[in-house]
């Protein structure tokens, strides 16, 4: 029994420097690996530091569209250097026409520069998209993209676009946030995701599931606001199994296959070690599957 988080932000300051404590609980929940995504130049070093000190952390570096307005003149050179220093994916990158007062100007240029980097290195890109799905599809179709595939994290696009995007190499990661009753359209889209393209994510510290699905409560130290604990990943799996009508064992097996297919060539040694470590811990400390 091993769980894989396709997308989170463990470096986030809202965790209050408790990352080692959070990861200890993740290990007890059999979280084998997590892709931790940088969002801007300022947090890339923190992501790298987590990856160097914690074997389950798989680093990804990119410029999120919310932060491109503060990028330095040499941001792309710094990103290349960051990718050279440690095996990594590219992300979080993307397009956003939803966030109020966020200029769209410059987003496509920054997105395509990063997508090109991922294609050149053949590493996955983790893509954020809000209210720009048609344009994203056009850009992906007409520009180089990684042959290994790319991740549409927290896919929220139309049901009708699932198949065309999968045809371009997309994987789709489901967050626990979509368990909220109002997210009916998003749940319907994930019912249509091909079984070999489904992944699971927490997006911690964001995208909290409904309260009744939260198994590990966590609060931001400064404000006291609830945030998402990455050890809630098995609960997100349980939601996904319900959504697809699969047994937990079937979901765990399929997600592991998909995760390793997309990310395995980036971190072969790390992932091999993670599987061995988690299997050994599960054998030594048997635990009933999450339902």
């Amino acid at each position: 029994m091993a769980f894989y988080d396709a997308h989170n932000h463990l470096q986030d300051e809202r965790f209050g420097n408790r990352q080692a404590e959070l990861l200890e609980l993740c290990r007890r929940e059999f979280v084998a690996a997590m892709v931790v995504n940088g969002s801007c130049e300022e947090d890339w070093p923190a992501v790298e530091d987590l990856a160097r000190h914690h074997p389950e952390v798989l680093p990804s570096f990119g410029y999120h569209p919310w932060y491109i307005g503060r990028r330095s003149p040499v941001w792309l050179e710094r990103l290349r250097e960051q990718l050279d220093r440690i095996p990594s994916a590219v992300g979080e990158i993307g397009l956003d026409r939803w966030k109020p007062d966020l200029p769209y100007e410059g987003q496509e240029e920054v997105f395509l520069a990063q997508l090109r980097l991922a294609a050149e290195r053949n590493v996955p890109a983790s893509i954020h998209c809000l209210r720009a799905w048609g344009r994203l599809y056009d850009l992906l179709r007409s520009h180089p993209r990684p042959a290994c595939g790319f991740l549409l994290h927290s896919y929220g696009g139309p049901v009708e676009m699932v198949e065309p995007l999968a045809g371009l190499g997309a994987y789709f990661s489901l967050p626990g946030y979509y368990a909220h009753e109002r997210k009916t359209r998003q749940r319907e889209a994930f019912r249509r995701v091909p079984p070999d393209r489904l992944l699971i994510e927490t997006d911690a510290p964001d995208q909290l599931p409904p309260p009744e699905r939260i198994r590990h409560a966590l609060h931001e130290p400064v404000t006291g606001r609830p945030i998402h604990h990455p050890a809630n990943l098995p609960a997100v799996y349980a939601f996904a199994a319900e959504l697809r009508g699969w047994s937990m064992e079937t979901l765990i097996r399929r997600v592991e296959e998909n995760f390793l297919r997309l990310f395995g060539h980036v971190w072969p040694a790390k992932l091999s070690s993670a599987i061995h470590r988690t299997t050994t811990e599960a054998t030594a400390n048997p635990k009933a599957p999450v339902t």
Side-chain angles (χ1 to χ4, degrees):
M1 181 167 59
F3 300 99
Y4 298 85
D5 190 344
H7 186 102
N8 75 30
H9 297 276
L10 187 66
Q11 82 282 7
D12 197 291
E13 293 179 351
R14 285 172 288 171
F15 286 126
N17 295 316
R18 292 173 292 175
Q19 282 83 356
E21 171 193 334
L22 303 182
L23 285 169
E24 177 58 34
L25 184 52
C26 287
R27 283 189 284 272
R28 295 205 297 269
E29 290 286 356
F30 305 120
V31 176
M34 58 179 67
V35 182
V36 176
N37 291 264
S39 300
C40 58
E41 288 164 273
E42 288 85 354
D43 72 2
W44 295 343
V47 173
E48 180 179 349
D49 185 66
L50 285 168
R52 292 194 183 281
H53 289 90
H54 301 284
E56 55 272 91
V57 172
L58 311 177
S60 186
F61 304 101
Y63 241 112
H64 191 292
W66 290 4
Y67 306 115
I68 63 170
R70 63 193 199 202
R71 67 192 186 279
S72 75
V74 294
W75 73 271
L76 189 57
E77 179 182 340
R78 286 181 175 171
L79 179 55
R80 285 196 183 96
E81 292 171 352
Q82 187 69 67
L83 295 170
D84 286 341
R85 276 203 292 273
I86 187 171
S88 49
V90 173
E92 178 175 357
I93 67 176
L95 305 176
D96 194 310
R97 283 183 167 141
W98 166 82
K99 188 175 175 62
D101 303 319
L102 179 70
Y104 188 74
E105 181 182 1
Q107 288 191 36
E108 292 188 8
E109 173 191 349
V110 172
F111 170 71
L112 289 174
Q114 296 178 100
L115 184 67
R116 190 176 305 112
L117 271 182
E120 290 170 357
R121 295 164 183 258
N122 192 28
V123 297
S126 191
I127 299 176
H128 162 110
C129 185
L130 288 172
R131 296 187 181 175
W133 291 104
R135 185 56 180 159
L136 177 68
Y137 177 74
D138 290 341
L139 293 175
L140 288 169
R141 185 175 54 177
S142 58
H143 289 81
R145 54 188 185 272
C148 64
F150 55 91
L151 177 67
L152 298 177
H153 112 82
S154 296
Y155 178 73
V159 173
E160 296 77 14
M161 291 192 70
V162 169
E163 185 177 345
L165 286 164
L168 295 180
Y171 288 72
F172 306 78
S173 58
L174 175 70
Y177 188 66
Y178 289 174
H180 287 275
E181 283 302 314
R182 65 185 181 275
K183 293 295 180 179
T184 55
R185 182 179 58 81
Q186 289 85 350
R187 288 198 299 276
E188 183 56 33
F190 270 93
R191 289 189 182 98
R192 298 274 293 275
V193 168
D196 64 345
R197 298 302 179 89
L198 178 65
L199 291 170
I200 310 296
E201 66 169 79
T202 63
D203 200 24
D206 295 311
Q207 301 216 69
L208 276 166
E212 65 273 12
R213 292 184 180 268
I214 295 172
R215 296 171 183 260
H216 300 287
L218 187 64
H219 295 82
E220 187 179 352
V222 176
T223 67
R225 292 174 184 161
I227 55 177
H228 200 179
H229 197 308
N232 285 315
L233 181 63
V236 184
Y237 268 70
F239 160 55
E242 292 173 24
L243 185 66
R244 295 299 297 244
W246 296 346
S247 69
M248 194 63 162
E249 292 79 4
T250 295
L251 177 69
I252 288 171
R253 184 183 72 252
R254 284 180 168 168
V255 170
E256 180 174 71
E257 291 171 355
N258 297 344
F259 190 96
L260 296 178
R261 188 185 316 112
L262 180 61
F263 294 113
H265 71 289
V266 184
W267 302 285
K270 263 201 166 194
L271 284 169
S272 177
S273 175
I275 294 168
H276 175 74
R277 180 179 67 252
T278 309
T279 302
T280 301
E281 290 173 358
T283 302
N285 303 287
K287 176 180 177 180
V290 177
T291 58

